[in-house]
Amino acid sequence: MKLITAIIKPHQLDEVKEALEAFGVAGMTISEASGYGRQRGHSEVYRGAEYTVDFVPKVRLEVLVDDVDSSDVLEVILKAAQTGRIGDGKIWSVPVDEVVRVRTGERGVDAL
Amino acid sequence: MKLITAIIKPHQLDEVKEALEAFGVAGMTISEASGYGRQRGHSEVYRGAEYTVDFVPKVRLEVLVDDVDSSDVLEVILKAAQTGRIGDGKIWSVPVDEVVRVRTGERGVDAL
Amino acid sequence: MKLITAIIKPHQLDEVKEALEAFGVAGMTISEASGYGRQRGHSEVYRGAEYTVDFVPKVRLEVLVDDVDSSDVLEVILKAAQTGRIGDGKIWSVPVDEVVRVRTGERGVDAL
Amino acid sequence: MVLAMSAITFVAADTPFTDSGNTAWVLAAAALVLFMTPGLALFYGGMVRTKSVLNMMMMSFITMGTVGTVWVLWGYSETFGNDVGAGLLGNPFEHFGLSGVLDAIYGYVPADAATGTAAAGGIPGGAFVAFQVVFAIIAVALVSGAIADRAKFVTWTVFTVIWATLVYFPAAHWVFAFNGFAAETGGWIANKAEGLFLGGAGAYDFAGGTAIHINAGVAGLALAILLRKRVGWPKEPMRPHNLTLVMIGAGILWFGWFGFNAGSALSAGTLAAGVWVNTLAATCTAMLGWLITEKIRDGHATSLGAASGVVAGLVAITPACATVSPWGALVVGLAAGVGCALAVGLKFRFGFDDSLDVVGVHLVGGLIGTLLIGFLADATNSPTGTAGLSMNDGLFFGGGFGQLWSQTLGAGAVLIYSFVVTFIIGWVLHKTMGFTVPEEDEVAGIDLLEHAETAYDLGAFTGGSRHVSSGVVAERTRQVVADEPSSKEEASA
Amino acid sequence: MVLAMSAITFVAADTPFTDSGNTAWVLAAAALVLFMTPGLALFYGGMVRTKSVLNMMMMSFITMGTVGTVWVLWGYSETFGNDVGAGLLGNPFEHFGLSGVLDAIYGYVPADAATGTAAAGGIPGGAFVAFQVVFAIIAVALVSGAIADRAKFVTWTVFTVIWATLVYFPAAHWVFAFNGFAAETGGWIANKAEGLFLGGAGAYDFAGGTAIHINAGVAGLALAILLRKRVGWPKEPMRPHNLTLVMIGAGILWFGWFGFNAGSALSAGTLAAGVWVNTLAATCTAMLGWLITEKIRDGHATSLGAASGVVAGLVAITPACATVSPWGALVVGLAAGVGCALAVGLKFRFGFDDSLDVVGVHLVGGLIGTLLIGFLADATNSPTGTAGLSMNDGLFFGGGFGQLWSQTLGAGAVLIYSFVVTFIIGWVLHKTMGFTVPEEDEVAGIDLLEHAETAYDLGAFTGGSRHVSSGVVAERTRQVVADEPSSKEEASA
Amino acid sequence: MVLAMSAITFVAADTPFTDSGNTAWVLAAAALVLFMTPGLALFYGGMVRTKSVLNMMMMSFITMGTVGTVWVLWGYSETFGNDVGAGLLGNPFEHFGLSGVLDAIYGYVPADAATGTAAAGGIPGGAFVAFQVVFAIIAVALVSGAIADRAKFVTWTVFTVIWATLVYFPAAHWVFAFNGFAAETGGWIANKAEGLFLGGAGAYDFAGGTAIHINAGVAGLALAILLRKRVGWPKEPMRPHNLTLVMIGAGILWFGWFGFNAGSALSAGTLAAGVWVNTLAATCTAMLGWLITEKIRDGHATSLGAASGVVAGLVAITPACATVSPWGALVVGLAAGVGCALAVGLKFRFGFDDSLDVVGVHLVGGLIGTLLIGFLADATNSPTGTAGLSMNDGLFFGGGFGQLWSQTLGAGAVLIYSFVVTFIIGWVLHKTMGFTVPEEDEVAGIDLLEHAETAYDLGAFTGGSRHVSSGVVAERTRQVVADEPSSKEEASA
Ligand SMILES: Nc1ncnc2c1ncn2[C@@H]1O[C@H](COP(=O)(O)OP(=O)(O)O)[C@@H](O)[C@H]1O
Ligand SMILES: Nc1ncnc2c1ncn2[C@@H]1O[C@H](COP(=O)(O)OP(=O)(O)O)[C@@H](O)[C@H]1O
Ligand SMILES: Nc1ncnc2c1ncn2[C@@H]1O[C@H](COP(=O)(O)OP(=O)(O)O)[C@@H](O)[C@H]1O
């Protein structure tokens, strides 16, 4: 089992979700995040005083997948999230020892 | 060392927290998340226009545990988080190379 | 490749960010989190009714690093995040199988 | 009403005319009081949890819709039409649809040349209708705070109509309908009621301590007892989700209340001005009283306490504002601030979930103000006295127990009547329509389940679409949430 | 205006004097109407997404700045100066900079001793200026709702000046400038216009159903057609980001509208009081009408629906408030509530992105109210009638088609004129300055790109610095966002 | 006050009477001004960070409680009681507890038949008390903006009482107490003060540019210098946490300010109406001036700038609203908008942490308005002139340097007195009670540590309990936060 984590642009979320659904991934978990990298932040001005925001909003997406699907899923996310502009984000995968579905207690692939 | 991550229903958090405390887990970290899966979202209506929300609010819970405790802790969370209804969430564990307590610099089990 | 995750005090974020930049880390992702541990929460009072908040606000920081840098980066974060008071947080690292830069599809160290 | 002074006889002027100054003030005051109900919606809305703020506000807004409509149809007439007997009810058909009201001129009283006091009244019937309808609206809306987060919206809507008709309009008739003002004969509390047990003296309730606050407060108590508690109460903490809303609401209430109290003079002169001053004085000390109580008991003076103290003071001075001196107002306010700050804990002791403390603030505050008149009524230095009108002194000013007794009877009558009738109305509605939403709907959020809305979408994501959504803007052809019970059930988790 | 009643002849009193009561009411009413524009800013601001709330509010605020200034310079004179011919325009130079206005006394009408009606008017020129400027401001601000989230701020600013000058001031002159009130000769819709096609009867528009709501509504339509749609519309859902703001805004609008309508009597007497009552009555049934429509069609009564119903009712009763009875007001409100609730769907059918339903609420509501006068005008029981002023009956009260025809012509004339001229103004501005921001700016957030601000920073982090920022407080020496196109482009992602 | 015109002699009428129209306006105006302080709470509250919004609002609210109470006790008397000598102070015991005030009628001035001007005044003592107390409250509350986020709440509470007593009441006496109005002899700035250095002409300050804005502004400066800076200032960015609150606050302030300025006429006639118009005119150009300055300097026109410009314009026109023409008002506004927009940067240059720019807006704006009267006073076209009252011309209208000199002296006297005395009061309080919270409390959030509250709990979690909490609803038996210093210390991290 693998856990694939992707940091993507908030805008691309719908596309990624649809691509994953189309591929057959049944579930995922997302959360709000802020990223720092090559992509620049922005400045705001309040009564003439500048306020620089270094971090840009990102979505953090997590998908548990079976080992065999892992590189395909990564590929699916990659394609759907790509805009070609700086700040498109990262995807990584880590090995998972165990997965359980809370409702049933099922383990492993059955838990997905 | 293992990192156990659980996606649970926000409602069950108190129960899970208490169960973990009872078991002897001294710390944990949580964050807001949104999940997509078998559980359906909901619809809102604004001036007759429908607005579908696909993701449902979840809590993401992370607990670092010693290898020997890991399956027990997972079991504890599983039991406390279970309601038996769709959307109860997932629990998974990943191997951890190193853990440090920031305050003291202690490593490994001492850092928990 | 490693994924280093740090739970730190929100206050120390700027310092950690600057230290990482100084060290040469080019990117990172953060998100809001709440922690439970030795550090106590606080109480609020509304019309004489007490409301106890057990969790304290934390920042969750994730940095992907090359294997060789991983212990140095951990050290950099440790030093920058440390205030010596209870609640300074934890840092841990997990092994990563694969990293991709979404924009270019680059893999591994090139993706950082 | 200025007319709460039992000594006044209403003179039908030879050539009645409208006083543009008095009318200007009453129209402005009516607008101020109208504004109080949205203010109340904010005050209440800020105190509930995020997931039920819209429902809470809607309980106030819908009351404006229903009670406003009903007022035009039969409410005005039921309240201020000629009494149908024993001072208990106005004739609801006399002015049905406001017939024969707009072209009337009410409350003409000649100016008192000796004191330079402006004439009371001389206001068009429409202005009186306007001023009174906003009282009716807020009286009903106040009740909703006792049953926050769990009332079925449609049942609440029906309740507003029935409660206004069976409880508020009668009580307002008793207290506000003076013989010879809008109609020949009025209500029994307002007027000398020789034959009745009041023994000759009307209770003083200038702007509605009994008819509005005791009434709504005890009605809230009845419903809080009748309806199930909120899920988790009192074990689970339920903190106000947005105290800035509470503060805005308190500010609006305070602002509008000057219309409520000083407008009740139905004239712009010495009486109204004195009432204005007393209203402020009591509010100030009530805020201080509440905050000092908190500071001593809890260690902190809170913003919710300040807002609550303001409202408690306003409630308590409402009946008393015309009959106590500025000193008296300071005392009334202080008593209300301290008293209500202590009283909001009662619900935990007695175990009724009066969610937003309608009992602790409105019932207790209303009682404090109404009863303190019996002690502090000051025929010389009160606005009534300085305006040259006669009134009784209270116990502390040598007036004996007479007025205190009248106050007690007036307050008690409204309290008992309202509790009993409200309980019956609530019980019937509960058995027929159901008064509460299913517990899982409450947990999932009453805003979502009852109104298909959520209050806030403040996500920082700057994209065109919220990250947790993927919707289709289309005219609704089906009823998504309601049609899919499973989704509802799941949403509750 | 009370003066909308064509039967009134303005008498120049021998010794004109100001009526302090009438003046007090007009000054208070002017303040109430002034407050409506911030209220509108909240009402509109709550309905857009988080990233554009400030821009939305700024469109209202800047309108206060520009139109207020322009009004003092030439707007008042263009509207209420002596007509320059055919009832189409006031002389903009006559009172340039308000010269010769502050020391005038307007609208002196002797009291009608028979009915006890207060004299209309007797108000200083300055009070009339004050009351009218706030109308001009909100009329222009209303338009902005149609082009939310995407208008270039500087172009909007210019638009407010041009549109006020070329569209609003003329239309207000037509409808509000009565012969002999502020000037000798006024506008063609307001006055008997024998020679013109109205055939002898002016259209009734008491407080601005045509000049303000139809006018702004159709101008919104013109701009919504002209400007590109919001990115993603109608596929992407764009829900209101903060419904508590919408509710506060609706509350303020409701409150202020009593100044709008009852203030238009320019006096505090029977007429103003009756208008007040009608204004409330219509709002109540409009809210109920909208909510019932929603409940039947969508399965839920929403808070946005309640707020929208309130505004729809207020819009519709605005022209009609003085000429229908309370019963008529209940009907007008109900019609507007149901009608507008159905009309807000039209934009999806016809594909114009009238973002906040200026068309569905203001154009449709304005038309409903203006035309229903033709049916429901009631010379006996309306505020006008009860105040002793003469007026025509509508179709349902035996008055025939005459008044309906006048109403139709008045409404149609404003509608067509406004649509055409607004379209031209918009088109020219679009070709010259550009009227919309780049799509990527809209996506990244118009608040950030146009105003260098974001509305909220509610992060729970208790540190001194927000976790996503690391800024330097310094006086600005450069223009960061604008100077660095790359950062802008990236920010949009 | 209308009475600021030195030419007026107050005539004690043979049979004094209240003018219901004037009284209606003053009562409404008093309510409007009362509303300004909650408005200020929002305006200020939106500008601070999330963790201190409640404390910021509480500083305004508690001021209402303390100053309102103190006003009733001795404040009114100290301000408007008979002068105890040299025009420096009213007798604080004369009307202690408002004795002998409610039944008085103030400011009776016969109508000027020639000009048709309404009589000024004829208002009950209570109305004057009401109108003046709300001025006192907001004057004190304004100061709090300079010391946001770090003031010990209890010390601020004590400060409000002492500062009102030692600084505001005296200054208000100087400026607002006219001989023969509420008392025989009044303050030295208001009245011709032949013997003093003003040399025969009073300074014009219609509604409080000196007594309120310069006074509060310079007091803010004194405290900002005295108290430690906020942790991190000026390095760390501290952005407004909720600009929608700022906009609501600005809207309420604008609305209420018509009561502030036009109410100061104490009558509803030509004077009040002209003041209303000038108040609007100046605000409009001030907003434009601030936004243009921003656009040129920073590249963007911001919503905070619009709100700030509105307030700056209102501040500057406050003293001048009755003595300049509408043209003059446009100029005063523009000068204030540009001037204050530039002035808010001063604190960075001079290194005092005037957190919310009380100095930049109120001191600078107040000075601009007060001094510009010396140039722009227009005896012909100002509201005062058009109302038929005599006044001096300013430098630009041929009046020479006389009035400018008076203005300078009046402004300078208040400025110096206030700065010195405020500094001393602040210093003593700082040494005795401590004026600032510990730095770690500020960092952890003053709302939490001083008030045991946090403003928002907007979590999307739909459960019955917030995920970060697990509380017990119970009556407090202990003082958790305060009793456990370790938890406090930790919470700060
Ligand atoms: N080393 C890293 N570890 C974790 N997250 C990273 C790292 N580098 C970048 N990120 C995340 O990826 C996002 C995009 O990175 P950025 O450098 O801006 O653009 P790109 O990936 O297109 O070169 C960042 O906003 C951040 O959230
Ligand atoms: N493949 C997955 N990867 C990551 N998270 C998942 C995955 N599948 C489900 N989840 C998370 O688990 C939650 C519950 O899943 P769901 O399918 O709705 O119910 P159940 O687990 O009871 O079958 C989801 O809301 C989501 O947060
Ligand atoms: N076992 C754990 N697993 C995950 N996170 C933990 C764990 N223990 C502590 N934490 C996180 O570390 C933070 C600091 O821990 P705490 O025990 O309060 O202080 P310290 O680390 O200084 O002893 C907690 O708030 C929590 O976010």
Side-chain angles (χ1 to χ4, degrees), chain A residues 7 35-39 56 58 85-90, chain C residues 27-29 62-64 101 103 112:
Chain A
I7 307 294
Y36 178 81
R38 278 173 194 79
Q39 184 187 1
V56 292
K58 298 285 170 196
R85 302 225 203 120
I86 293 176
D88 270 356
K90 313 282 173 197
Chain C
M28 69 196 81
T29 302
E62 290 173 305
V63 198
L64 294 161
R101 181 195 306 280
R103 174 163 47 95
L112 297 184

Side-chain angles (χ1 to χ4, degrees), chain D residues 277-299:
Chain D
V277 171
N278 276 353
T279 300
L280 183 74
T283 320
C284 293
T285 50
M287 191 208 292
L288 297 180
W290 191 300
L291 292 179
I292 290 167
T293 305
E294 280 193 338
K295 183 81 189 170
I296 292 171
R297 184 187 57 189
D298 310 328

Side-chain angles (χ1 to χ4, degrees), chain F residues 91-184:
Chain F
N91 181 346
F93 306 110
E94 188 179 355
H95 298 295
F96 195 82
L98 299 182
S99 70
V101 173
L102 293 195
D103 54 359
I105 297 175
Y106 284 174
Y108 178 73
V109 178
D112 183 331
T115 63
T117 304
I123 59 167
F128 188 64
V129 168
F131 189 67
Q132 289 294 341
V133 62
V134 287
F135 275 59
I137 286 170
I138 198 163
V140 182
L142 283 172
V143 179
S144 64
I147 55 172
D149 300 1
R150 58 196 189 280
K152 243 172 108 169
F153 184 65
V154 66
T155 310
W156 167 258
T157 304
V158 172
F159 175 83
T160 60
V161 173
I162 300 179
W163 193 80
T165 304
L166 299 188
V167 181
Y168 178 75
F169 298 151
H173 178 74
W174 302 354
V175 174
F176 293 145
F178 287 86
N179 292 344
F181 183 69
E184 204 74 1

Side-chain angles (χ1 to χ4, degrees), chain D residues 184-208:
Chain D
E184 204 73 1
T185 52
W188 69 275
I189 296 181
N191 298 289
K192 291 192 183 203
E194 307 279 357
L196 285 175
F197 60 100
L198 278 188
Y204 295 160
D205 178 6
F206 192 72

Side-chain angles (χ1 to χ4, degrees), chain D residues 151 176 468 470:
Chain D
F176 293 145
V468 290
S470 150

